[in-house]
């Protein structure tokens, strides 16, 4: 508190504190933990700070890409529909990512995670918002009638009806994923939950960088180039977290990691490899055929979707890199016969039993 002494030059009140004495109060009650307070900046490995700096330097804006040019490009109705379908499905992953990382970020602040890790997670959230925005442009400029959302349009032709139905089923599964993710936070510590993070980031880096080279239209070449750079930064962050937490994992948690990796593969395969219907992805008959037709149309339209053989090779090389990292810590890598990788046989039936891939 201050006292007004007099009006100084220019009419401003001058303050005096000469009558005040400092007081030392009793310490406040301890803050119940976990809590974002008291605020501190626990220093971590330098890599976390350099990745944070890199994220700032590599920032980009999806709105700067030549979307207008894409909107005016001559494509067949099927090709444009295929591209809109593909971005709608990508939205299951990229539109869930901002809340997924926001949730994780809050947990990290509450548990006083290293400052650099928290900062990097905030930039990952920001990156994912960009990816989501790209899904919005890609979807709205491609689906009939430029709808406000991937399901807010009236399908007329047989292929449009197939696309609409597939998107609806995809989004139904996306909702199951989100519920499972929120529940899993109550059951598992963050470092265990985020074990499939590395797998998803490595796969996404590889697949998107190849897509940027295969894409026929500059908007997609540019977009996938930026996305793969983002994902490669995320992969380096994920690798740091794995290397930090794996040496002290219990055997039970190591087994959980193996299952998480398999779950992550099945989860991400939907968009970057091929759909695997089952208990994990609940999909109706005909879904896969519709998907293949639409994906083929998207590829013909210049989206940059890789051939099945190239996707398989890309996954195989990405997964072998992850396998090498994981096995160094005495963690078994799951069998992925779909891409010719042998390993531990694990069953990952459900999104609801805590198997929550993050990428
Ligand atoms: Fe993303
Ligand atoms: Fe990522």
């Amino acid at each position: 508190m201050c006292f007004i002494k007099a009006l100084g030059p220019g009419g401003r009140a001058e303050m005096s504190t000469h009558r005040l004495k400092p007081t030392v109060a009793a310490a406040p009650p301890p803050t119940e933990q976990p809590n974002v307070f008291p605020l501190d900046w626990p220093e971590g490995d330098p890599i976390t700070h350099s990745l944070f700096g890199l994220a700032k330097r590599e920032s980009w804006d999806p709105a700067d890409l030549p979307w207008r040019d894409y909107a005016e490009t001559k494509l067949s109705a099927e090709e444009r529909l295929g591209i809109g379908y593909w971005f709608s499905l990508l939205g299951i992953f990229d539109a869930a990512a901002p809340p997924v990382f926001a949730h994780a970020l809050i947990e990290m602040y509450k548990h006083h995670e290293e400052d650099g890790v928290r900062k990097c997670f905030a930039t990952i959230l920001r990156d994912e918002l960009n990816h989501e925005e790209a899904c919005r442009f890609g979807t709205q400029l491609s689906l009939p009638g430029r709808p406000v959302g991937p399901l807010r349009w009236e399908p007329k032709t047989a292929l449009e009806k197939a696309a609409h139905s597939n998107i609806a089923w995809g989004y139904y599964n996306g909702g199951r994923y989100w519920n499972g993710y929120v529940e899993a936070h109550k059951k598992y510590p963050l470092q265990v939950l985020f074990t499939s993070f590395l797998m998803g980031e490595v796969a996404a880096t590889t697949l998107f960088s190849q897509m940027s080279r295969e894409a026929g239209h500059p908007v997609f070449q540019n977009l996938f180039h930026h996305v793969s750079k983002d994902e490669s930064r995320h992969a380096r962050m994920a690798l740091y977290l794995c290397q930090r937490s794996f040496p002290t994992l219990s055997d039970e948690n190591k087994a959980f990691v193996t299952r998480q990796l398999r779950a992550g593969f099945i989860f991400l395969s939907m968009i970057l490899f091929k759909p695997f219907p089952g208990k994990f992805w609940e999909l109706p008959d005909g879904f896969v055929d519709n998907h293949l037709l639409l994906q083929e149309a998207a590829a013909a339209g210049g989206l940059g979707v890789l051939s099945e053989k190239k996707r398989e090779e890309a996954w195989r090389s990405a997964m072998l890199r992850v396998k090498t990292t994981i096995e160094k810590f005495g963690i078994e890598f799951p069998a992925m016969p779909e891409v010719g990788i042998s390993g531990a046989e694990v069953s990952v039936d459900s999104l609801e039993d805590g198997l929550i891939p993050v990428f």
Side-chain angles (χ1 to χ4, degrees), residues 302-321:
L303 180 65
V305 177
L306 306 182
S307 69
E308 183 166 345
K309 192 160 170 34
K310 282 189 183 165
R311 288 202 299 273
E312 192 179 320
E313 279 163 12
W315 268 100
R316 186 179 151 72
S317 78
M319 290 307 95
L320 285 174
R321 280 172 59 203

Side-chain angles (χ1 to χ4, degrees), residues 128 201 231 234 359:
E128 294 305 336
E201 303 302 338
E231 302 300 356
H234 304 177
F359 55 94

Side-chain angles (χ1 to χ4, degrees), residues 173-184:
N173 281 278
R176 292 172 59 232
Y177 166 80
W178 173 251
N179 290 338
Y181 177 73
V182 173
E183 283 308 304

